Amino acid sequence: MNWNSLTPVLGLGAGVAVTLLASGASGADLGGYPPAYERTSAAAPLYGAHSWTGLYAGMQAGYSWANTDVEALWGQVNGPRETFAYSTRGALGGLHLGYNRQVDRLVLGIETDLETSGASGSGTATSSAIHTTTIDWGGSLRGRLGFVAGNSLLYLTGGVAYGNVSSEQYLKTGLAPFSYNTQWKTGWTAGGGIAHALASNLTVRLEYRYTDLGTISSYSSTLAMRETSEITSHAVRGGISFKF
């Protein structure tokens, strides 16, 4: 065997070995390299895999309830005055459209909705007149502030509310209403809820909101009667949203 001919090969092998040993020592000093799955897990966001950023639309349905407070004044000036209250309740449902922007765990958004309502109720005054209030439909434009917990979003919401409200008053004798009024009302709404991501583009929600549409007034020239009722309500809604 010609050892002189193997000298260059042995020298190259020794150099490679020294390089590998140096690299291994350096890695050991740094604690070594974690497995690939550990590196991927460490890089994953702590606030969950779902992204809430984007445009979304969906539908909602629920139930609303309220106590309607009524004040009636009989006569032109300083006439008899009476107050009474009754429950107004019914189902509601409609559509919503919104946009979210997620920054780490915080989610900022804006949302609008429009829905029909079956909320209605009536009460009897001490004068034997029956008063009825009906909320025909409503909507809102609201801001949203949320906090991400896993694939769920806990949020607060509030903004402008509007709707069409009707009120009427008639006698127990079954005659046609002697006082009737329907008005477009604006006010405010506020509440909160929880949303959960079922898929990257599909979420469900459960929400509570309080709404105040102010007051509605009507006047009967025949009986010289003016009445005013407050329009406030509580509502719980469930919904489903699709993200684009």
Side-chain angles (χ1 to χ4, degrees):
M1 179 180 292
N2 189 350
W3 291 99
N4 293 331
S5 62
L6 293 178
T7 300
V9 176
L10 294 175
L12 177 61
V16 172
V18 171
T19 302
L20 292 176
L21 289 173
S23 299
S26 177
D29 293 340
L30 295 176
Y33 296 104
Y37 71 90
E38 291 185 9
R39 295 198 299 272
T40 302
S41 176
L46 297 176
Y47 45 83
H50 180 75
S51 172
W52 294 89
T53 296
L55 182 70
Y56 63 91
M59 60 192 74
Q60 74 277 354
Y63 191 79
S64 70
W65 68 96
N67 287 321
T68 300
D69 298 315
V70 182
E71 181 182 67
L73 176 63
W74 298 83
Q76 296 290 347
V77 181
N78 297 326
R81 184 187 302 270
E82 61 179 324
T83 60
F84 58 99
Y86 57 87
S87 297
T88 301
R89 57 190 66 229
L92 49 80
L95 304 174
H96 60 264
L97 174 68
Y99 180 81
N100 287 326
R101 177 67 178 176
Q102 180 177 348
V103 181
D104 293 332
R105 287 179 177 265
L106 292 180
V107 175
L108 301 176
I110 186 170
E111 182 176 292
T112 183
D113 60 9
L114 186 65
E115 53 195 16
T116 184
S117 170
S120 181
S122 61
T124 304
T126 56
S127 59
S128 297
I130 300 175
H131 186 275
T132 298
T133 299
T134 301
I135 302 177
D136 303 305
W137 60 270
S140 68
L141 177 62
R142 297 168 284 105
R144 299 207 312 169
L145 173 62
F147 180 82
V148 175
N151 285 336
S152 296
L153 176 68
L154 306 174
Y155 64 89
L156 299 175
T157 184
V160 177
Y162 53 88
N164 191 75
V165 182
S166 301
S167 69
E168 61 182 16
Q169 196 162 2
Y170 52 94
L171 299 176
K172 286 184 177 180
T173 55
L175 299 176
F178 60 81
S179 173
Y180 176 81
N181 188 24
T182 180
Q183 291 182 11
W184 162 274
K185 303 297 297 181
T186 59
W188 60 273
T189 184
I194 180 171
H196 183 75
L198 300 179
S200 61
N201 63 342
L202 179 65
T203 63
V204 293
R205 67 166 69 176
L206 181 64
E207 179 182 280
Y208 162 81
R209 289 209 323 258
Y210 175 82
T211 301
D212 187 340
L213 293 179
T215 60
I216 181 173
S217 301
S218 58
Y219 178 74
S220 170
S221 58
T222 303
L223 300 178
M225 185 277 300
R226 184 184 306 278
E227 60 88 15
T228 302
S229 55
E230 296 182 357
I231 311 300
T232 61
S233 65
H234 306 265
V236 173
R237 298 171 176 85
I240 184 169
S241 303
F242 304 90
K243 193 176 78 168
F244 302 105

